[in-house]
Amino acid sequence: MFAGLPELGISNGEDLKETLTNCTEPLKAIDQFQTENGILLPTLQSALPFLDLHGTPRLEFHQSVFDELCDKLMERVATIAEGKDEDRYGKLKELLEKSFPLVKMPSIQPVVMQVLKHLPKVPEKKLKLVMADKELYKVCAVEVKRQIWQENQALFGDEVSPLLKHYIVAKEAALFSSDLSILHNFFSPSPKARRQGEVVLKLTQMIGKNVKLYDMVLQFLRTLFLRTRNVHYCTLRAELLMSLHDLDISEICSVDSCHKFTWCLDACIREKFVDAKRARELQGFLDGVKKGQEEVLGDLSMILCDPFSSNTLVLSTVRNLQELLSQDALPRDSPDLMLLLRMLSLGQGAWDMIDSQVFKEPRLELEVVTRFLPAMLSVLVDDYTFTVEQKLPSEEKTSLSYPTALPDNFNKYLQENRVACEMGLYYALHIAKQRNKNALQRLLPALVETYNDMASGDIFLHLLTAHLTLLSDEFGNEEFCSAVFDGFLLNSFSSKDNVHRHNLRLLLHLHQKVLPSCVETLVKTLEPSKQSSDQVKELYTKLTEKLEVQKKSPPQPDEAPSLDLHPVKYVDTPTISIDEHRQ
């Protein structure tokens, strides 16, 4: 406990023990020991007996003085470090040399740690001693740890790894949230709010202004993205840079070539739209990549691969197509649309680019612009025409029926081109948001087979299930129910655990709206196998429990009460379950 005192010429417990062992008058020896090792202030000696008269133990007095001196010393260390004295760090190093032998003493340790914290460059020998001692390493300030980490990537990796795992787990948990809502989905939090997350704040603190540590974290993210293909690592790459931007850490932001591009894109994500002005800025950054600097495309592609980026880009693309429709213009004539497709293509090619180390923008297939997009516009025209037709007075309506087939080669592009596929998936979300059940029934069969099975991805299924809640009343129709479940959602659930979970999430939310005969069939179909994950089994148990409760509750009226004005009659109020009320 008192290790290090002899090195400073101060007696410790062992010295007292030796003195008492060899002396003939213990009381005198103790008195002498106290005089030699007490507070060396002559005027204090005569005052101490007064404390004795008041029953104040000497230990209590000395401890209070010690605590006060510690506080003053720590304040003084901070003052010296923040001052402008040219020799301020020399003074701190001198103090460190005197105090470091006592670093293991709990009472002195905070002072030593304070000195270490304020030294921009701790002597290497001291850093090694701190790193080698687990207890010292644990309690030292992050400013000291940064100096250790920058010379020890493996140790830094051990510190960062649990944070990255926690981040991914949290993102994936959000995609399987039990709350199905179009207003509160995965993409609802603003960029600023997301940057207040525990992991982002912790990583930002760990990095500080240290460019070397920032580069290490980026390398970890690239490696993990390559190893897992998990796009949430791309999100963290963008969030980390913007978190440092928020704190105005120019030492890092100024050397990250993606900074201004990410900053501009962040503003677009906040608005969920890429306007013409920002589109020109983003294009300027992409066009400004000079020969010999192509490696920056790897980082730009990761930023664009972030789901929050691609979500904004595709939403902007759909909106752009609607504007073209109103202007009778062709997709190829819109520079903004061409840029959106260019950025989508660059983002989707991130993994291939980083893996191959060939830093070149992927070429967008011309047929996507000349054939797929016009076909998509024709589908939008069908939707618009049918919607207008339904609003006409009955005498003006024609016998127009909604088309059931998609344009030629539409399915082919969904299966063979990832940009086209992404747009097709978001078109499905768009028509679900419009509550257009006819268009949805027309499109869903085409999503059974998509490029790289993108329609089975958690992000799309999370959004689709949320959007389908807007059509909850349609699930009482057997044809619609069959189109959603049999025609699409159930196609791959047996081989894909995540699809199984999304099916159960949707049914848990809508079971009171779904036709009873369909519910019975779905419950049998979705029963977990022995190989199913615990999450699937847990969701299935919740569903069966809810259905049991529903069976026991009183039957609900088939029709809503008439809104016609009649004399008031007193009727029994039907019991409504909490889940039903949420609908």
Side-chain angles (χ1 to χ4, degrees):
M1 184 176 176
F2 299 106
L5 286 174
E7 289 180 44
L8 300 176
I10 300 172
S11 302
N12 63 6
E14 289 299 317
D15 295 315
L16 178 59
K17 182 180 176 183
E18 188 179 340
T19 301
L20 291 173
T21 303
N22 299 326
C23 73
T24 52
E25 297 183 59
L27 291 177
K28 280 188 178 181
I30 291 172
D31 189 50
Q32 186 179 349
F33 189 88
Q34 285 179 325
T35 303
E36 290 174 357
N37 294 286
I39 299 171
L40 303 177
L41 190 65
T43 53
L44 180 63
Q45 296 305 315
S46 57
L48 288 176
F50 287 104
L51 291 175
D52 298 336
L53 291 172
H54 285 85
T56 303
R58 297 286 175 92
L59 173 61
E60 187 179 323
F61 165 71
H62 282 93
Q63 189 63 52
S64 66
V65 172
F66 178 85
D67 292 342
E68 185 71 20
L69 288 172
C70 265
D71 291 342
K72 293 287 184 188
L73 184 53
M74 288 175 74
E75 284 176 22
R76 182 66 184 143
V77 168
T79 304
I80 291 171
E82 291 161 11
K84 294 182 179 179
D85 186 350
E86 288 184 8
D87 192 36
R88 61 187 184 278
Y89 296 128
K91 290 177 181 177
L92 291 181
K93 281 184 181 178
E94 189 180 338
L95 181 57
L96 180 65
E97 288 300 324
K98 289 180 179 178
S99 61
F100 196 81
L102 305 178
V103 72
K104 290 290 191 75
M105 281 182 64
S107 53
I108 299 290
Q109 194 177 80
V111 177
V112 183
M113 290 302 169
Q114 179 81 334
V115 177
L116 287 169
K117 175 184 173 180
H118 284 97
L119 275 173
K121 187 164 179 58
V122 176
E124 190 178 343
K125 186 180 176 183
K126 300 289 189 291
L127 276 181
K128 286 181 177 177
L129 288 170
V130 171
M131 185 175 72
D133 190 304
K134 286 185 179 180
E135 291 302 315
L136 289 181
Y137 174 76
K138 189 177 178 181
V139 297
C140 73
V142 71
E143 289 85 354
V144 182
K145 286 179 179 175
R146 284 187 201 125
Q147 296 184 49
I148 294 172
W149 293 332
Q150 70 176 8
E151 302 303 329
N152 195 319
Q153 186 170 343
L155 184 60
F156 186 51
D158 291 341
E159 291 276 356
V160 169
S161 183
L163 293 173
L164 302 185
K165 285 179 185 173
H166 178 72
Y167 181 87
I168 298 300
V169 167
K171 288 288 182 190
E172 290 175 348
L175 291 171
F176 290 102
S177 165
S178 57
D179 181 23
L180 270 68
S181 167
I182 194 169
L183 297 174
H184 304 288
N185 62 48
F186 183 75
F187 293 111
S188 296
S190 69
K192 196 100 173 179
R194 287 188 283 116
R195 295 198 286 273
Q196 301 310 306
E198 179 189 350
V199 172
V200 177
L201 290 178
K202 180 69 176 171
L203 284 173
T204 305
Q205 183 200 25
M206 289 169 75
I207 291 167
K209 298 179 180 181
N210 194 306
V211 176
K212 193 171 181 180
L213 293 181
Y214 178 67
D215 284 339
M216 280 187 201
V217 173
L218 295 193
Q219 191 54 48
F220 294 152
L221 294 176
R222 288 186 203 104
T223 304
L224 289 165
F225 175 51
L226 279 179
R227 191 180 299 165
T228 64
R229 291 182 182 262
N230 194 319
V231 292
H232 299 311
Y233 290 114
C234 300
T235 305
L236 184 53
R237 195 262 184 260
E239 285 178 353
L240 186 58
L241 173 55
M242 286 309 298
S243 177
L244 293 162
H245 165 89
D246 292 341
L247 295 172
D248 199 22
I249 309 292
S250 58
E251 290 87 347
I252 290 174
C253 293
S254 62
V255 296
D256 190 327
S257 307
C258 298
H259 174 230
K260 289 184 179 178
F261 182 89
T262 309
W263 185 9
C264 184
L265 190 60
D266 187 74
C268 298
I269 294 169
R270 189 178 62 240
E271 304 296 329
K272 290 186 167 62
F273 180 64
V274 182
D275 60 36
K277 183 187 173 186
R278 290 197 178 112
R280 284 193 296 274
E281 285 183 51
L282 291 168
Q283 183 162 1
F285 294 130
L286 289 177
D287 293 343
V289 176
K290 296 174 183 175
K291 195 171 183 181
Q293 298 178 343
E294 291 90 354
E295 276 194 30
V296 72
L297 287 172
D299 280 317
L300 288 175
S301 67
M302 260 191 96
I303 298 292
L304 289 166
C305 188
D306 164 21
F308 288 86
S309 298
S310 53
N311 176 63
T312 302
L313 294 174
V314 189
L315 288 175
S316 301
T317 304
V318 173
R319 189 164 157 183
N320 201 292
L321 286 172
Q322 289 175 297
E323 288 173 4
L324 290 176
L325 196 61
S326 65
Q327 297 163 5
D328 288 337
L330 290 171
R332 63 187 175 208
D333 297 329
S334 169
D336 287 353
L337 180 60
M338 291 300 100
L339 172 67
L340 291 169
L341 296 175
R342 178 186 176 186
M343 290 194 290
L344 260 178
S345 184
L346 181 55
Q348 289 174 341
W351 191 91
D352 294 322
M353 187 183 294
I354 296 169
D355 181 52
S356 66
Q357 293 291 291
V358 177
F359 300 104
K360 187 178 179 182
E361 279 194 54
R363 184 176 295 177
L364 180 68
E365 286 184 34
L366 186 63
E367 285 195 351
V368 171
V369 180
T370 58
R371 296 198 176 181
F372 175 74
L373 290 183
M376 197 164 173
L377 280 175
S378 74
V379 175
L380 286 169
V381 169
D382 291 339
D383 295 343
Y384 183 72
T385 307
F386 189 77
T387 303
V388 171
E389 170 78 12
Q390 296 307 302
K391 291 178 181 176
L392 292 173
S394 54
E395 62 272 12
E396 293 181 30
K397 284 185 180 179
T398 64
S399 57
L400 182 72
S401 61
Y402 193 85
T404 55
L406 289 164
D408 293 342
N409 291 328
F410 194 89
N411 294 26
K412 177 173 174 275
Y413 286 108
L414 295 183
Q415 293 166 18
E416 296 178 6
N417 185 281
R418 54 184 163 193
V419 172
C421 183
E422 187 91 57
M423 293 180 64
L425 297 180
Y426 268 78
Y427 170 62
L429 301 177
H430 170 72
I431 54 182
K433 192 175 181 180
Q434 304 295 320
R435 294 178 169 85
N436 189 338
K437 70 166 187 175
N438 294 299
L440 199 59
Q441 285 177 224
R442 179 191 189 187
L443 182 62
L444 282 176
L447 302 185
V448 173
E449 288 185 45
T450 51
Y451 182 89
N452 207 20
D453 216 6
M454 286 169 69
S456 295
D458 287 327
I459 293 174
F460 172 67
L461 290 176
H462 166 88
L463 292 174
L464 181 65
T465 50
H467 281 67
L468 285 172
T469 60
L470 297 173
L471 289 154
S472 58
D473 290 335
E474 301 296 341
F475 281 88
N477 179 299
E478 189 172 354
E479 184 186 359
F480 182 76
C481 205
S482 176
V484 172
F485 285 103
D486 299 331
F488 175 62
L489 285 175
L490 292 177
N491 270 281
S492 60
F493 87 95
S494 59
S495 59
K496 291 186 172 64
D497 191 80
N498 70 309
V499 179
H500 200 158
R501 287 174 73 180
H502 286 294
N503 270 283
L504 289 168
R505 286 175 65 244
L506 183 61
L507 196 54
L508 258 169
H509 191 81
L510 294 176
H511 65 89
Q512 290 174 320
K513 298 283 186 178
V514 179
L515 217 62
S517 58
C518 291
V519 172
E520 194 176 331
T521 305
L522 287 168
V523 168
K524 287 179 183 176
T525 306
L526 292 169
E527 186 174 358
S529 65
K530 288 181 180 178
Q531 289 76 33
S532 297
S533 68
D534 291 340
Q535 293 93 331
V536 165
K537 291 172 183 174
E538 187 181 335
L539 280 170
Y540 187 79
T541 303
K542 278 185 185 177
L543 176 62
T544 52
E545 286 173 355
K546 274 199 172 188
L547 292 173
E548 282 301 315
V549 171
Q550 187 180 328
K551 281 180 186 176
K552 293 174 184 176
S553 63
Q556 303 301 316
D558 293 333
E559 295 180 10
S562 170
L563 295 178
D564 295 336
L565 294 175
H566 293 297
V568 176
K569 292 182 181 179
Y570 291 96
V571 295
D572 292 334
T573 306
T575 305
I576 301 176
S577 71
I578 293 171
D579 296 303
E580 189 174 1
H581 181 64
R582 283 177 181 156
Q583 300 297 329

